Amino acid sequence: MSMAVVGLVAGMALGFAGYFGGFGAFLLVAALGAVGFVAGRFLDGDLELGNFFRARERVDRRR
């Protein structure tokens, strides 16, 4: 399935949720979609949990 089709389905789901359920349902569908996206990327192996908990490198900008 191409990314365009996935985007179309996600947009339609958000549109239906917003129209029939209001703004709260729109936010709920958007949040659950984001969680599903992250879970799918993790299960595909494209994402590692360490990426979320690793400390960022600090760059010393003093000159």
Side-chain angles (χ1 to χ4, degrees), residues 23-36:
F23 188 69
F26 173 83
L27 290 178
L28 178 65
V29 170
L32 291 176
V35 169

Side-chain angles (χ1 to χ4, degrees), residues 1-24:
M1 187 179 299
S2 73
M3 292 304 291
V5 174
V6 172
L8 174 68
V9 171
M12 289 176 62
L14 288 172
F16 280 120
Y19 183 77
F20 292 110
F23 188 69

Side-chain angles (χ1 to χ4, degrees), residues 14-55:
L14 288 172
F16 280 120
Y19 183 77
F20 292 110
F23 188 69
F26 173 83
L27 290 178
L28 178 65
V29 170
L32 291 176
V35 169
F37 175 76
V38 170
R41 295 290 298 245
F42 176 72
L43 292 175
D44 281 344
D46 295 335
L47 193 64
E48 295 182 14
L49 287 179
N51 293 342
F52 292 110
F53 301 112
R54 188 174 310 145

